[in-house]
């Protein structure tokens, strides 16, 4: 996908591919690199630091447009879909049995991945629509506040 300075997808190619991961990272590591500048992580991931910084810049662009003037074409953002929820994660005991549920702390790293996934999903859906391809999708109902 090619994305311009306003965060708009201006071109894309969809192809059969295999993903080969050169790095395994955690949301915590990405946050510590981008927010804290943790020296050991900056050194460990020096080769991909420019890419992470570009990704963070794009995340900031999408975040700006989700809160301010809209760009000429629609953008997918966390806020545009109303995904204003609290993610939770279970706390397990030594036997793997859930004993508590705590809010999962969102960070720029989790937000970045959410934004990238949403833009990819929208691009695939739009491409399928314009090619009049059959497309399976899920319709989300309004969540039950009690649940």
């Amino acid at each position: 996908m090619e994305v311009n300075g306003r965060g708009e997808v201006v071109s894309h190619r969809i192809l059969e591919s295999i993903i080969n991961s050169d790095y395994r990272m955690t949301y915590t590591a990405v946050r510590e690199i981008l927010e804290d500048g943790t020296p050991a992580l900056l050194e460990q991931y020096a080769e991909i630091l420019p890419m992470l910084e570009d990704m963070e810049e794009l995340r900031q662009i999408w975040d700006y447009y989700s809160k301010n003037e809209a760009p000429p074409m629609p953008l997918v953002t966390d806020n545009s879909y109303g995904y204003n929820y609290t993610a939770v994660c279970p706390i397990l005991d030594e036997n793997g049995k859930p004993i508590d549920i705590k809010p999962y702390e969102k960070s720029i790293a989790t937000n970045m991945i959410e934004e990238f996934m949403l833009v990819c999903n929208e691009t695939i859906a739009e491409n399928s629509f314009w090619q009049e391809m059959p497309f399976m999708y899920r319709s989300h109902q309004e969540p039950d506040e009690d649940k």
Side-chain angles (χ1 to χ4, degrees):
M1 297 170 71
E2 181 181 352
V3 180
N4 68 18
R6 290 180 57 88
E8 302 159 330
V9 176
V10 294
S11 68
H12 68 276
R13 288 185 315 149
I14 298 173
L15 21 113
E16 192 172 328
S17 60
I18 296 173
I19 298 173
N20 292 309
S21 299
D22 293 327
Y23 293 89
R24 291 187 57 88
M25 300 184 76
T26 63
Y27 290 121
T28 302
V30 172
R31 185 196 57 74
E32 287 182 13
I33 289 167
L34 296 174
E35 284 187 350
D36 303 337
T38 303
L41 291 172
L42 290 172
E43 183 179 332
Q44 181 179 356
Y45 296 107
E47 186 177 343
I48 61 168
L49 183 58
M51 179 185 67
L52 292 172
E53 290 169 339
D54 288 347
M55 292 171 69
E56 168 55 7
E57 182 180 352
L58 185 53
R59 184 199 69 81
Q60 289 176 10
I61 290 168
W62 286 332
D63 186 57
Y64 172 82
Y65 283 121
S66 73
K67 295 175 180 151
N68 297 288
E69 71 171 77
M73 60 189 293
L75 286 177
V76 175
T77 67
D78 203 17
N79 296 332
S80 67
Y81 282 102
Y83 288 152
N84 191 8
Y85 62 89
T86 302
V88 295
C89 61
I91 306 300
L92 309 176
D93 67 13
E94 62 278 352
N95 299 316
K97 182 178 177 181
I99 56 173
D100 199 0
I101 296 177
K102 301 228 177 197
Y104 182 80
E105 288 188 38
K106 292 180 90 172
S107 70
I108 62 170
T110 56
N111 179 250
M112 182 188 310
I113 296 306
E114 288 171 357
E115 295 289 341
F116 275 73
M117 287 190 308
L118 287 168
V119 169
C120 290
N121 289 344
E122 180 184 67
T123 301
I124 293 292
E126 185 176 327
N127 182 78
S128 297
F129 173 81
W130 289 114
Q131 290 191 43
E132 298 182 3
M133 296 170 61
F135 194 82
M136 190 177 249
Y137 62 93
R138 181 171 54 173
S139 178
H140 294 276
Q141 298 173 341
E142 285 294 317
D144 180 338
E145 287 291 324
D146 293 335
K147 290 182 180 180

